[in-house]
Amino acid sequence: MTAEDRRRIAEGLAAGLTYAEIARRLGRSRSTITREIARNGGPHGYRAARAQHATSWRARRRKRAPHADVSHPIDNRDVRTAREFEEQFVSMMIETGMAPMTARVFAALFISEAGSLTSAELVQHLHVSPATISHAIKWLTQREMVTRQREARRMRYFVDVDVWYHTWATSARAMTIWADTTRHGAGIFGTDTPTGDRLHTTSQFFELLGHDMGQAAEHWRQALSMRRQR
């Protein structure tokens, strides 16, 4: 696949075309287009220049080690270092409130080369059952941290490049719900009562926090959009 092909794939995705339509326009099979997008960031994270660079890099690695697994570093020391960082990444997420297995699944996806893995690859990597993977993925997709897409008879999961925008925006919406509910409670009890005053103060806190979080998320979205246009 050429750099021009990849540019047209990126344009097709941006225009909302289906994989089948993109394949027809390029004179390629749908399975070829599906594999190309899946290996290079998924439907929301695919970038032509990045895909071209990644493909060239994988080709160079195959020449150096024809039987190596391109999803992981070749050198044993690099494998060990990557594993150590993955464990550190998992520990950080657990410490900040994520369930252990959910953290392991997310870390495996996030650190993978393409930011995507199939259910079978996750099972093999984490040595757990498909049901365990499915449970963790359900939690992650509900919070827009992971997207999924069926490829023939298997399911592939993606960490979108906008993952932190989505999760932060979700948190900001949660702050709004807290603010609205506690404000309503303050009106019921009256701000001249201890309960009402406590609820009123709480609503002010979450209203300010939600506003600031919303602004921060929008600032990041604009910054990311500008970076993509370069």
Side-chain angles (χ1 to χ4, degrees), residues 31-217:
S31 60
T32 297
I33 299 302
T34 298
R35 284 194 301 271
E36 166 67 18
I37 295 171
R39 294 188 70 185
N40 295 288
H44 303 292
Y46 187 89
R47 301 292 178 271
R50 186 190 306 166
Q52 185 70 18
H53 175 76
T55 301
S56 299
W57 179 76
R58 285 193 290 264
R60 289 195 298 271
R61 292 184 65 174
R62 290 193 189 97
K63 289 180 181 179
R64 293 198 300 268
H67 303 295
D69 179 356
V70 298
S71 66
H72 297 288
I74 295 172
D75 185 85
N76 288 334
R77 183 181 59 185
D78 290 342
V79 172
R80 186 170 62 253
T81 301
R83 285 289 190 178
E84 288 173 352
F85 175 75
E86 185 172 343
E87 290 301 320
Q88 180 184 357
F89 198 69
V90 169
S91 297
M92 178 270 295
M93 287 188 289
I94 293 173
E95 185 178 346
T96 53
M98 189 178 287
M101 185 48 62
T102 305
R104 296 188 72 84
V105 170
F106 183 78
L109 287 167
F110 196 84
I111 296 172
S112 66
E113 181 186 328
S116 72
L117 293 169
T118 65
S119 179
E121 288 168 338
L122 284 166
V123 166
Q124 182 180 13
H125 181 67
L126 298 174
H127 306 290
V128 295
S129 69
T132 300
I133 298 297
S134 179
H135 181 74
I137 288 294
K138 180 180 179 180
W139 190 93
L140 291 165
T141 54
Q142 286 176 340
R143 288 154 181 80
E144 301 184 64
M145 296 180 71
V146 168
T147 57
R148 67 178 82 196
Q149 179 183 325
R150 181 166 293 282
E151 294 180 356
R153 296 181 180 179
R154 64 182 183 178
M155 189 69 73
R156 179 172 290 276
Y157 305 110
F158 300 89
V159 174
D160 193 279
V161 69
D162 289 336
V163 59
W164 306 122
Y165 171 77
H166 291 310
T167 54
W168 194 258
T170 299
S171 296
R173 289 194 293 272
M175 297 303 101
T176 299
I177 294 172
W178 269 89
D180 290 345
T181 302
T182 51
R183 186 185 307 109
H184 177 64
I188 292 174
F189 289 95
T191 55
D192 57 342
T193 67
T195 300
D197 181 63
R198 190 181 311 122
L199 286 165
H200 177 65
T201 301
T202 301
S203 71
Q204 288 183 314
F205 170 77
F206 282 113
E207 183 176 3
L208 178 62
L209 185 60
H211 176 266
D212 289 349
M213 290 176 70
Q215 284 194 323

Side-chain angles (χ1 to χ4, degrees), residues 5 8 11-12 15 17-28 33:
D5 289 336
R8 293 176 65 187
E11 290 178 349
L17 300 182
T18 65
Y19 288 10
E21 179 62 25
I22 294 172
R24 283 194 294 271
R25 293 190 178 193
L26 268 67
R28 302 268 187 167
I33 299 302

